[in-house]
Amino acid sequence: MLQLLFSGASPYVRKVRVTLAETGQTDAVELVQVSTSPMKPDPRVLAANPSGRIPALVRPEGPAIYDSRVICRYLAERAPDGPDLYTQSRLWEVLTLEATGDGILDSAVSIVYEKRLRPENLQSQDWMDAQWAKIARALDALNDRWMGHLAGPLNMGTIAVGCALGYLDLRHADREWRRDHDALDDWFAAFSQRQSMLDTAAPV
């Protein structure tokens, strides 16, 4: 049986769990909760992923695989009768949307790490503001240029963006990402009500 090394608060794990739900594979994977961080990685995670990051998917038929993009692609391949998450006719748009969602997450998680893992006197507000500027530009792009794609059928790009926006609500609500992003706000209000999103919401 597949095993997913996970933490309930990880937005990258959430991407995988939403993909599992949307492709009907939730019952095929055992969830193994771990406590890991850049400063103190869990030995079980290190055994599966040398970088010590989650998610990691332990497979009986071969080496563990890791990185949410790799795992989600693998899961989509395992469910040929499920939704077409990587539509060939729009593949580059789907992958670009996924990269945009993951880019938002990379910067958002970096801000959290700066606040949590560095001593207060060493934290750089300029650096955190620069990370948020990346997020703001991505939000502008999604709101102004990508709504037609987001409003289309479910795909890996929409899942990634949905999980990224959910993480902004969880960890950066004070930044008010919805301001000046009305179309994106409306889209996320509907997308966040999918059962897969409701079932994978991080504990508050």
Side-chain angles (χ1 to χ4, degrees), residues 11 60 76 94 98 106-107 110-112 119 128 130 143 150 155 162 185 190:
V94 170
E98 183 181 13
D106 291 346
S107 290
S110 293
I111 295 171
V112 171
M128 288 187 283
N143 192 78
L150 287 172
N155 59 57
D185 179 17

Side-chain angles (χ1 to χ4, degrees), residues 139 165 169 175-182 185 188-189:
L139 294 172
L165 298 180
D169 279 347
R175 296 274 191 167
E176 298 181 345
W177 69 262
R178 289 172 173 80
R179 187 188 305 137
D180 299 325
H181 300 113
D182 292 346
D185 179 17
F188 182 63

Side-chain angles (χ1 to χ4, degrees), residues 2 57 80 128 145 154 166:
L2 297 170
L57 188 71
M128 288 187 283
R145 301 199 297 270
L154 178 77

Side-chain angles (χ1 to χ4, degrees), residues 77-96:
E77 292 285 335
R78 287 185 84 248
D81 296 328
D84 187 5
L85 298 182
Y86 296 92
T87 307
Q88 192 62 38
S89 62
R90 300 170 59 214
L91 181 61
W92 303 116
E93 289 81 4
V94 170
L95 294 178
T96 300

Side-chain angles (χ1 to χ4, degrees), residues 112-124 127:
V112 171
Y113 282 166
E114 180 77 2
K115 291 180 177 179
R116 288 185 178 179
L117 300 180
R118 289 175 67 85
E120 187 173 356
N121 64 311
L122 296 179
Q123 294 174 15
S124 170
W127 189 87

Side-chain angles (χ1 to χ4, degrees), residues 15-83:
K15 277 181 59 186
V16 173
R17 294 182 66 196
V18 169
T19 302
L20 283 169
E22 295 287 355
T23 58
Q25 298 181 84
T26 299
D27 292 341
V29 177
E30 177 188 358
L31 298 180
V32 179
Q33 181 135 7
V34 296
S35 179
T36 192
S37 76
M39 308 298 287
K40 191 177 180 181
D42 188 296
R44 291 170 295 178
V45 179
L46 287 175
N49 179 358
S51 75
R53 296 172 180 161
I54 53 174
L57 188 71
V58 180
R59 304 177 300 158
E61 77 275 16
I65 59 175
Y66 42 86
D67 188 279
S68 63
R69 276 183 269 196
V70 175
I71 296 172
C72 289
R73 192 68 178 260
Y74 169 81
L75 293 174
E77 292 285 335
R78 287 185 84 248
D81 296 328

